[in-house]
Amino acid sequence: MSEKKNMSAANIPHIGPGGKPGRGPGGPMGARLNAEKPKNTRRTLGRLIRYIGKSGVILAALLLIMIAVTGADLVGPFFQQKAIDAISLSDGKLSVDMQAMAGYLALMAVVFAVSAALSYFQGILAAKLSQSTVYAMRNDLFRKISRLPISYTDSHRHGDIMSRMTNDVENVSNAVSQSIATLFSAVLTLAGAFCMMMYYSPVMTAVAVVTIPLTILVSSGLSKFMRKYFVRQQKLLGQLNSAVEESVTGYKTVVAYGKEDEAVEKFGAVAEDLRKCSISARIWGSVMGPIMNFLGNFQYVLLAATGGFLILSGRGRITVGSIQAMLQYSKKFSHPINMIANQYSMILTALAGAERIFEIMDAADEIDGGKTDISLDGVRGDIEFENLQFGYVPGEPVLKGLNLSVGAGKKIAIVGATGSGKTTIVNLLTRFYELDGGRITIDGVNITDIPKEKLRKMIAIVLQDTVLFSDTIGANIRYGRENATDEEVRAAADTAMAARFIDRLPGGYETMLSESGTNLSEGQRQLLSISRAVLADPKILILDEATSSVDTRTELKIQQAMGNLMRGRTSLIIAHRLSTIRDADMIVVVNGGRIVESGNHEELLALGGEYSKLYSSQFAGVAI
């Protein structure tokens, strides 16, 4: 695997561990997607509840309204029983207490009106609660992603990470807005209905609860079976997003190699797996409701038969109105269980999504540890690489005891075959990765003792693949130093030879760039990247194959701009085009994780070693 890939999402100056937006997985672990491992449901639910609890006022108001709604719902059958029992049969004569019936019916109307109004506000509060919860969760997740080590973003599919930020958080939002009210209302209704049933008839209550153990047994068995489908569904959705992202960002490559059908086939395979899994998840998720409804209806029949028997046998103080009330309360007693069952698929999906979110949150933060108070203004730029030992994969070292001394203000070129370890040196200098052995110092201070924020402010990187954002040209340049004035931005663009083409644009520095700056030429994007580095005013400059993808005429402009940028700065240049580094103070040749040659251009050519072979392969067509 090429070493360039190890750097693909990492080498962005002052962006942090998030990596380059829209890129596929980089690094030696890029092709691996960690298998989904369901976490402890109780622990996940507990963490989710803590997020919900952050909106304490909204939650308290919602619970109070739900208590009122549930109370109004429970008192309705009581008034209905009283209204029915206002009708009496004595000595074969039917009599109706119209005043009592009218009073109870009026009370029922008031109760139902109040319940409807409170239900409206309940819906508003539930929406606010869900959005407040996912707002906090999404912010914490994004903040966590910004603190992850580069190795994490290099070893996980970017589409899957984005799926957790979007799809999984949205599933949690849906569950919070709907299931919180459902679950709390279910508990209140169960308790209230049971008390009212006991008030009317303990015997009929005992009959009503006969089906409860069977309901619990069926629901727990089905939920255990269903869980695996919902967890796999979320994983496949992440893979689908990754496939789409890779195809869109790499569209030109797909088309150039005629791989459209293969990309469609790959997408179709993942989509087919997701289709089958989603069907299974939905089928088993929908089975729960009908089973619970059947058990509820069975309970209803048993209760009606029991009530009729009690009236005919003259046992207890059961009336027709009491039976009607008991039937209503039995429905209210069984309905919460059915509500929970019908919500179970949503709850499972939300918990599966929450597990995936918390998996990222539980990942280790990027290691810092730097405590040395160092002034950026006093940095000279002397760099020492001492016996560097490093490998991306344990047991597969990339650097094997590399030593290099770079004097302040010197221009050092690093060359070598692909995979020799050139870009890895930059990864370690910026602490995108941590050393396995050896040390790197700047002005004699170990970089592990320098806070990463200060370390990376000392360094600016200009990459082969420029990173531009969907914003104005001025804002993209100002990314190097956000508090820069307009004059400083223009001066940086002028130094980088970018001012000429910017001034010709209709919007000038306010010209909006499309995604990744695709409405500019590759050379223009590179000049903007150099402008950004000029504005950052770094003490140390890294140029990572900054001209390898442009034509010769554009290369000359960029070389002139980079010459202005490198003046007075310690510069490390990684280059494949050896014509761009002839004037370097020193050229080092890396091979097999070690420096095998060093010297200036003429000295290395005269040596007739690795550098001479590389140079000849480019300019004389000699095979290596």
Side-chain angles (χ1 to χ4, degrees), residues 201 203-204 304-318 323:
S201 173
V203 175
M204 293 182 70
T306 303
F309 172 77
L310 291 176
I311 286 182
L312 292 175
S313 63
R315 299 178 183 179
R317 52 186 181 85
I318 297 297
I323 294 177

Side-chain angles (χ1 to χ4, degrees), residues 15-212:
I15 283 181
K20 180 174 180 178
R23 290 292 298 268
M29 300 291 288
R32 302 181 191 173
L33 175 64
N34 290 349
E36 187 72 41
K37 296 180 180 180
K39 291 181 170 61
N40 185 286
T41 301
R42 183 177 300 177
R43 178 171 176 268
T44 302
L45 185 59
R47 294 178 69 173
L48 194 54
I49 289 174
R50 286 195 290 274
Y51 269 99
I52 295 170
K54 291 181 179 181
S55 305
V57 175
I58 298 176
L59 180 60
L62 177 61
L63 296 183
L64 287 174
I65 287 181
M66 289 168 61
I67 290 173
V69 171
T70 303
D73 194 38
L74 288 172
V75 87
F78 175 78
F79 290 143
Q80 187 179 17
Q81 174 256 317
K82 293 294 186 181
I84 291 174
D85 286 344
I87 304 172
S88 62
L89 183 64
S90 179
D91 298 329
K93 293 182 178 180
L94 185 68
S95 61
V96 180
D97 186 345
M98 295 299 297
Q99 185 176 358
M101 178 181 286
Y104 287 123
L105 290 176
L107 285 173
M108 289 174 61
V110 171
V111 167
F112 292 150
V114 170
S115 178
L118 291 176
S119 296
Y120 169 74
F121 290 108
Q122 175 183 313
I124 294 176
L125 289 175
K128 288 185 176 181
L129 178 64
S130 69
Q131 290 308 309
S132 297
T133 300
V134 299
Y135 171 80
M137 180 176 286
R138 188 177 280 123
N139 280 355
D140 285 351
L141 178 58
F142 192 83
R143 190 177 297 110
K144 178 66 180 186
I145 291 173
S146 71
R147 295 197 303 265
L148 289 173
I150 295 296
S151 57
Y152 187 95
T153 56
D154 273 357
S155 60
H156 291 73
R157 290 183 184 272
H158 294 185
D160 184 61
I161 294 176
M162 289 189 289
S163 177
R164 301 184 195 211
M165 174 66 75
T166 53
N167 296 326
D168 291 336
V169 172
E170 188 62 28
N171 287 334
V172 171
S173 172
N174 292 335
V176 170
S177 63
Q178 299 181 36
S179 299
I180 291 292
T182 298
L183 293 174
F184 189 73
S185 177
V187 172
L188 292 176
T189 303
L190 276 171
F194 181 78
C195 292
M196 294 302 294
M197 290 168 69
M198 287 294 292
Y199 166 78
Y200 281 110
S201 173
V203 175
M204 293 182 70
T205 302
V207 172
V209 300
V210 164
T211 58
I212 299 302

Side-chain angles (χ1 to χ4, degrees), residues 565-592:
L565 176 60
M566 288 186 288
R567 193 172 296 120
R569 295 183 172 91
T570 303
S571 302
L572 298 177
I573 308 169
I574 298 172
H576 279 153
R577 288 187 182 179
L578 303 186
S579 59
T580 64
I581 58 169
R582 292 182 180 180
D583 61 341
D585 295 309
M586 182 172 67
I587 301 170
V588 298
V589 182
V590 180
N591 190 16

